[in-house]
Amino acid sequence: MTPRDERLLVVDDEATVRELLSATLRFAGFKVSSAGTATEAIAAATAEPPDLVLLDVMLPDMDGFEVVRRLREQRTQGRSGPVPVLFLTARDRQADKVTGLSLGADDYVTKPFDLEELIARIHAILRRTNGSHADVLTAGPLTLDTEGHQVTRHGRPVRVSPTEFRLLRYLMENAGRVVTKVQILERVWHYDFGGDASIVDTYISYLRRKVDAEEPKLIQTVHGVGYVLREPRS
């Protein structure tokens, strides 16, 4: 097994679950530390920010949502921005999922979960957040060259600003997955923008005029959650 540099923090108040998950992830090649309470988790993530936090929602001292709020308030940074969070929870209510994603969590897995699927989701998050991206991204007729900083649709160049390029790149890296305004602000603006979150809506509008002026429309609004770039169905 090839050693990995990625460090994971597993947070769960059930010792059996915590130990089993930690052992499985170590076997998969990750460096793993763990915590059984929200207080321990915040202290560990602040002292040495991991590459990803696997966070149970139901903790004895405060819920996982509050842990994420505090980490975001402290602006705890990983290698390339805010520390990514994947919620692990027995809750399956849509409202809880929306709450978790609106706080900037990167994914949400409901217990009981398949370990292979969980590891696949971990890899997907790390690829998105650690800069392991393809040089050229495609979504239907849309192509984005990350090295050449060029966008084309049906082979025709589309002129976009640097911010529009970063936003489009983030949407294309997460094609098929809904991302919230909070996630977009963290990954595209890196907390540097201190104004109203409506800046996201504004730039989505700019992008649509440039890359979605014709059918098929790729950038879609998911009301109450955020945005998603979906490839057209064949």
Side-chain angles (χ1 to χ4, degrees):
M1 184 97 32
T2 303
R4 294 182 179 278
D5 292 329
E6 294 98 339
R7 290 178 291 104
L8 309 182
L9 173 62
V10 175
V11 186
D12 197 301
D13 64 323
E14 295 184 40
T16 302
V17 174
R18 186 172 66 247
E19 292 168 6
L20 174 61
L21 186 53
S22 295
T24 300
L25 294 173
R26 289 191 183 100
F27 183 76
F30 296 105
K31 297 177 181 177
V32 182
S33 57
S34 63
T37 68
T39 302
E40 292 174 358
I42 293 170
T46 303
E48 188 176 7
D51 295 296
L52 175 66
V53 179
L54 288 85
L55 178 62
D56 188 20
V57 171
M58 302 296 290
L59 296 170
D61 44 350
M62 68 183 80
D63 64 31
F65 300 142
E66 182 61 26
V67 172
V68 174
R69 288 190 188 97
R70 297 195 182 192
L71 291 178
R72 297 305 186 237
E73 287 172 0
Q74 295 173 8
R75 300 195 174 184
T76 305
Q77 299 288 299
R79 298 187 187 189
S80 58
V83 172
V85 174
L86 188 157
F87 275 122
L88 306 174
T89 179
R91 294 181 177 182
D92 194 26
R93 294 195 306 118
Q94 185 65 25
D96 291 326
K97 295 182 180 181
V98 171
T99 299
L101 293 173
S102 67
L103 290 170
D106 292 79
D107 208 344
Y108 197 111
V109 178
T110 304
K111 297 178 181 178
F113 46 78
D114 180 82
L115 287 171
E116 289 188 5
E117 178 187 353
L118 177 64
I119 291 173
R121 293 204 188 192
I122 290 171
H123 285 311
I125 293 172
L126 293 173
R127 281 196 300 270
R128 291 196 299 264
T129 58
N130 289 349
S132 300
H133 309 296
D135 290 339
V136 177
L137 303 173
T138 59
L142 198 61
T143 300
L144 183 145
D145 182 345
T146 62
E147 294 296 322
H149 212 275
Q150 295 179 333
V151 177
T152 61
R153 176 157 180 150
H154 290 301
R156 297 188 296 272
V158 179
R159 296 185 63 179
V160 295
S161 71
T163 301
E164 291 166 352
F165 184 88
R166 292 196 304 272
L167 175 56
L168 181 60
R169 175 175 176 170
Y170 182 65
L171 292 173
M172 293 182 71
E173 287 170 347
N174 291 277
R177 173 177 174 267
V178 179
V179 292
T180 67
K181 292 181 186 179
V182 172
Q183 290 172 312
I184 292 172
L185 284 170
E186 289 179 353
R187 301 301 176 187
V188 177
W189 275 268
H190 303 291
Y191 284 117
D192 291 335
F193 182 79
D196 195 309
S198 63
I199 189 71
V200 175
D201 301 321
T202 300
Y203 272 86
I204 288 287
S205 177
Y206 292 161
L207 266 184
R208 281 174 166 157
R209 293 175 195 170
K210 295 180 178 182
V211 305
D212 265 354
E214 57 185 285
E215 296 292 340
K217 307 294 186 184
L218 301 177
I219 303 173
Q220 301 174 21
T221 301
V222 180
H223 295 288
V225 184
Y227 297 97
V228 59
L229 188 146
R230 288 197 175 102
E231 297 185 37
R233 294 180 180 178
S234 56

